[in-house]
Amino acid sequence: MSLILKPLALAGPMLLTIKRFGDNRGWFTESYKKAALAEAGLEVDFVQDNHSFSAQAGTVRGMHYQIGATAQAKLIRCLRGRLVSVAVDIRRSSPSFGRHVMQELAGDSADQLFVPAGFAHGFCTLEPDTEIFYKVDTYYAPQDERGILWSDPALSIAWPVAPDQAVLSAKDAVHPLLRDQPDLFD
């Protein structure tokens, strides 16, 4: 596996650039290899894969996280279409608390985004029929699931969709603001 880990503007999230090997038939890549990630300094034991499809451009999912023993690290890639993936630092003691990184991911690229525990994650689709696939290192636990309002002005996220045009779930539309969220990380 040919892998390059690139730190982003905040400590923790990283962009993984993975080489694709192409010829006249198309391409091949190893999208995940635990030993290669460990060799590059990223030792995470992923236990569950998640796959979502968004029919419309402008679909926003997030900002989600889990608390306690089920806090999740995620390894995210776009299988089809394009999206922006956002990670917000929700570690109260962090110098970058409340700040975010945004990374575009596309189905025609092998790039992946690593988001460690202690960050809320969300994304917005840029094209119709976009699919996202991600690994997590703890199982989904509905009792530990939390969210922050995706459009919280304090987060200063320049989403590529206007708030009145975003396609949202009922739950994502009413998450609390960051300042009103009691369940964050230390």
Side-chain angles (χ1 to χ4, degrees):
M1 177 179 204
S2 179
L3 167 71
I4 299 169
L5 262 67
K6 176 186 171 193
L8 299 175
L10 303 180
M14 288 186 271
L15 181 65
L16 284 69
T17 300
I18 299 170
K19 185 170 170 86
R20 286 184 171 170
F21 301 92
D23 61 24
N24 63 323
R25 302 167 295 170
W27 53 263
F28 169 83
T29 191
E30 291 180 333
S31 61
Y32 173 74
K33 191 174 190 178
K34 186 174 182 174
L37 289 177
E39 186 177 303
L42 191 58
E43 295 196 45
V44 182
D45 187 20
F46 293 110
V47 298
Q48 179 177 317
D49 288 345
N50 299 317
H51 186 168
S52 77
F53 169 80
S54 298
Q56 294 177 266
T59 297
V60 176
R61 297 178 190 252
M63 301 295 297
H64 304 145
Y65 65 99
Q66 288 188 180
I67 59 168
T70 65
Q72 294 178 324
K74 298 177 180 178
L75 183 60
I76 303 151
R77 66 183 167 131
C78 181
L79 299 179
R80 179 170 58 154
R82 287 185 320 121
L83 59 92
V84 291
S85 191
V86 178
V88 174
D89 188 347
I90 55 171
R91 302 168 295 172
R92 290 186 194 276
S93 61
S94 170
S96 58
F97 175 75
R99 292 181 36 213
H100 70 278
V101 292
M102 179 183 283
Q103 181 66 48
E104 184 173 320
L105 299 173
D108 63 0
S109 167
D111 288 351
Q112 299 178 42
L113 178 65
F114 174 72
V115 177
F119 285 76
H121 174 258
F123 66 90
C124 178
T125 60
L126 301 173
E127 295 179 0
D129 301 328
T130 292
E131 293 183 61
I132 184 173
F133 182 89
Y134 58 101
K135 296 180 166 306
V136 293
D137 68 342
T138 60
Y139 296 107
Y140 172 68
Q143 72 279 7
D144 294 335
E145 180 182 27
R146 302 292 187 273
I148 298 166
L149 186 65
W150 72 281
S151 59
D152 182 343
L155 300 178
S156 300
I157 300 171
W159 290 101
V161 62
D164 62 338
Q165 298 295 310
V167 180
L168 300 163
S169 70
K171 182 171 64 172
D172 286 348
V174 297
H175 285 308
L177 300 173
L178 178 64
R179 72 171 183 244
D180 298 329
Q181 183 53 267
D183 295 326
L184 300 175
F185 296 80
D186 290 327

